[in-house]
Amino acid sequence: MAKNEYESSSSALIQLDLFNTPKNLFDKITINFFCVTCFTMTVLLTTVICAVTFFRYVLQGDLYGYEEWVKLFAFWLYFAGAAAGAWARTHISADLVNVYVKRGLLRNGLIFLRNLISFSVCAVFTWYALKFFLFGYTGPLGTGIAIPKTTVWRIPYWAGYLSVLTGIGFMTFYFCRDFIISARYLFKRSPK
């Protein structure tokens, strides 16, 4: 992105382009994975909810343990969408800086500060997500014995915890990207 494009837009770090595709191979693989995951989980969630509704209100029965699958699918949907949103810079933010602060050093400094805080908080949550995943994967004793599982379907908890680690990890990666870009603009180095 050229410097004049940055200055002509309200904020180069927040541009909504729904038809923007990843440029490098890493982003193509990861973003396509997250998009396919979001689509698949949406279809699966819809199917399960429709099946539960059909069984409950038409057949007067129950799908025992369906909520375990719904939770797993919802976790993957949410965190895959969060990672894709971090890549596309479409996360919800109260970005009053772009509205009330004129272009210049103050605005670049505030955007830098915002990105620093976002990156730092997300990095801390990535650390906790890693510990959360390792707890589910190795069990409470850390030996792989007594791995926590759901009650009915015996789905290991780490399957859901992996979505948290993956989603927040990639959010941290893309927030770091935005932080570096804002640092370059703040210190007058044009990003490539």
Side-chain angles (χ1 to χ4, degrees), residues 23 30 65 67 74 83 99 113 119 131 142 144 160 181 183 189:
K23 304 291 188 258
T30 56
E67 58 277 339
V99 176
L113 182 63
F119 168 66
K131 292 176 77 171
I181 290 171
R189 293 192 177 116

Side-chain angles (χ1 to χ4, degrees), residues 146-186:
I147 295 173
K149 297 180 180 177
T150 61
T151 308
V152 178
W153 290 98
R154 309 298 294 160
I155 303 167
Y157 281 168
W158 65 261
Y161 298 166
L162 181 61
S163 69
V164 177
L165 177 62
T166 306
I168 293 180
F170 278 97
M171 285 174 63
T172 302
F173 176 77
Y174 289 116
F175 286 156
C176 180
R177 172 203 60 188
D178 294 342
F179 169 69
I180 291 170
I181 290 171
S182 64
R184 287 179 176 173
Y185 278 118
L186 179 64

